[in-house]
Amino acid sequence: QVQLVESGGALVQAGGSLRLSCAASGRTFSGNRYAMGWFRQAPGKEHEFIAAINWSGGTTYYADSVKGRFTISRDRAKNTVYLQMNSLRPEDTAVYYCAADTRRTMPTMIWGNFNYWGQGTQVTVSS
């Protein structure tokens, strides 16, 4: 089992920045050589892919809606994944979830392909 705990969500004004963190703990898989990702869910909407990163941190993927504004990174020594969010917009308001896919070293962008998820952290962007 892998436990994921997100932190860093807050209320912020449009144009502001936040950094989300996701700390992984529990059983390690292949020396933590697995893909990680961030998704979000706004009220009444499906889970939306935001960003993903491969096991080494050398390959990243982003949704078009956040490309150029958000940056995903990981610190393998700390078993932590980060999501730096800049130039936030009201439409970025959602619950943000960290996810791990321990079956793959390269990430996909599909919520159902990940097999561990955090509890979520609320990000609210006011206009």
Side-chain angles (χ1 to χ4, degrees):
Q1 295 291 326
V2 174
Q3 291 79 44
L4 303 174
V5 178
E6 303 99 333
S7 61
L11 171 64
V12 63
Q13 288 189 334
S17 298
L18 283 174
R19 188 176 82 155
L20 304 184
S21 299
C22 172
S25 62
R27 178 185 173 187
T28 60
F29 292 83
S30 301
N32 294 335
R33 294 167 64 95
Y34 51 81
M36 299 286 293
W38 286 96
F39 292 80
R40 67 187 180 190
Q41 187 176 31
K45 295 189 177 182
E46 298 291 323
H47 290 100
E48 176 189 9
F49 168 78
I50 297 301
I53 191 166
N54 77 326
W55 72 274
S56 68
T59 301
T60 57
Y61 301 93
Y62 296 94
D64 288 343
S65 58
V66 305
K67 200 170 293 183
R69 300 188 297 124
F70 291 11
T71 302
I72 188 172
S73 61
R74 71 190 299 169
D75 185 332
R76 294 189 63 220
K78 295 182 179 180
N79 288 337
T80 301
V81 174
Y82 304 98
L83 185 68
Q84 177 67 44
M85 305 187 295
N86 299 328
S87 303
L88 283 162
R89 305 166 180 168
E91 53 264 40
D92 294 319
T93 295
V95 178
Y96 283 69
Y97 296 92
C98 173
D101 183 353
T102 60
R103 297 165 296 192
R104 295 177 176 86
T105 57
M106 292 297 291
T108 67
M109 293 177 259
I110 302 171
W111 172 263
N113 282 353
F114 289 78
N115 54 341
Y116 293 97
W117 302 269
Q119 81 289 349
T121 186
Q122 177 70 47
V123 172
T124 302
V125 184
S126 63
S127 56

